[in-house]
Amino acid sequence: MITPLQYNDIPWLVILFFSLLYITLYAMHHGGLFSRLAEWVRNVKNERTFNDSLSATVWGVIAFTVAYMFLFGLLLFCATGDNVPALLARPAPDTLIRLGLCMLPGLGWFLFHWFCFHWTGYLFGIGGKVTVFNRVYLSVYALSMPFALMILLALFLFPVSSHVLLILLSALFILTQIVCIFNGFRIFMDDFASGFVIFVYLCTLEIAPLVYLYAKYKGVA
């Protein structure tokens, strides 16, 4: 099991943590980025976004989403073995490649579903609602960054096993999907027909990929 001291001795990782912690705390002030994102998640009926600082909010969403993807991949990399601290202390090219590969699952899932719900909205002519869901979708991932940061903090404070780390990452992933699906129902559920479309979407683009990945994981294990 990896001890917290091993991660605490990696300077760039400590700097990364405190830098993200600073911008997270700054974004939490009253009227800050997190307040706007929380309002985007709550307000699923208004297709237009009235915000004097919309440009700053969009860039903030992009920054926090990218940070979330990086943290998720980094934490997934940390769960791959007991020699991870030594690899991260002096990252070689093959270490950076492995780290990049660990970021692909989360990023791929994010981009895949972003494309799918835009494509579905185009097919069924519900562009206005897709605009609202796009706003919620991005907000959920941006708001998930502090939770990933808390898991990184746990690595600094406690001896976390790879198994426990995978459980924490899975819980965070499932939480983001539940919030997105719940808000999808709030936005798109108008009648039986819309409910059927949501059901088909969930079966083909949410549940089926997860079942496939689980089956592949069990086959490898």
Side-chain angles (χ1 to χ4, degrees):
M1 182 180 296
I2 300 172
T3 62
L5 185 61
Q6 290 176 279
Y7 284 113
N8 296 342
D9 284 340
I10 305 176
W12 72 265
L13 195 59
V14 175
I15 293 173
L16 172 69
F17 170 78
F18 281 105
S19 299
L20 292 178
L21 179 62
Y22 173 78
I23 64 173
T24 298
L25 294 176
Y26 179 78
M28 287 181 176
H29 75 274
H30 180 70
L33 176 64
F34 281 3
S35 297
R36 298 170 196 153
L37 296 183
E39 177 60 27
W40 282 9
V41 174
R42 287 194 300 267
N43 185 6
V44 297
K45 300 302 179 183
N46 187 3
E47 296 180 4
R48 300 183 63 185
T49 302
F50 298 97
N51 195 322
D52 294 334
S53 56
L54 180 59
S55 178
T57 301
V58 170
W59 281 110
V61 169
I62 294 174
F64 272 85
T65 302
V66 170
Y68 169 78
M69 295 299 170
F70 179 80
L71 285 176
F72 196 92
L74 175 64
L75 292 168
L76 187 60
F77 178 75
C78 291
T80 58
D82 292 337
N83 64 332
V84 169
L87 295 175
L88 291 177
R90 291 183 175 84
D94 60 330
T95 300
L96 296 177
I97 292 174
R98 282 179 55 191
L99 182 59
L101 290 175
C102 287
M103 296 176 189
L104 288 181
L107 181 61
W109 185 270
F110 171 83
L111 294 176
F112 172 71
H113 284 87
W114 184 85
F115 168 79
C116 287
F117 70 72
H118 277 84
W119 178 63
T120 304
Y122 172 77
L123 289 179
F124 291 95
I126 48 175
K129 291 186 176 182
V130 169
T131 299
V132 178
F133 186 71
N134 182 68
R135 199 165 60 204
V136 172
Y137 185 74
L138 295 175
S139 299
V140 169
Y141 276 92
L143 291 170
S144 298
M145 193 278 277
F147 294 97
L149 193 62
M150 290 173 61
I151 299 177
L152 180 60
L153 176 61
L155 293 184
F156 287 130
L157 300 178
F158 308 104
V160 181
S161 67
S162 298
H163 180 68
V164 172
L165 185 54
L166 285 175
I167 291 176
L168 293 174
L169 288 176
S170 298
L172 179 58
F173 171 77
I174 292 172
L175 178 63
T176 59
Q177 301 310 300
I178 290 175
V179 175
C180 288
I181 291 172
F182 172 74
N183 282 284
F185 274 102
R186 292 175 63 202
I187 295 168
F188 295 104
M189 189 67 175
D190 291 327
D191 48 31
F192 176 79
S194 61
F196 177 75
V197 172
I198 295 174
F199 176 76
V200 172
Y201 175 86
L202 291 177
C203 289
T204 56
L205 300 176
E206 291 281 354
I207 300 175
L210 287 176
V211 172
Y212 174 78
L213 290 175
Y214 178 76
K216 295 293 288 185
Y217 171 77
K218 293 294 288 185
V220 173

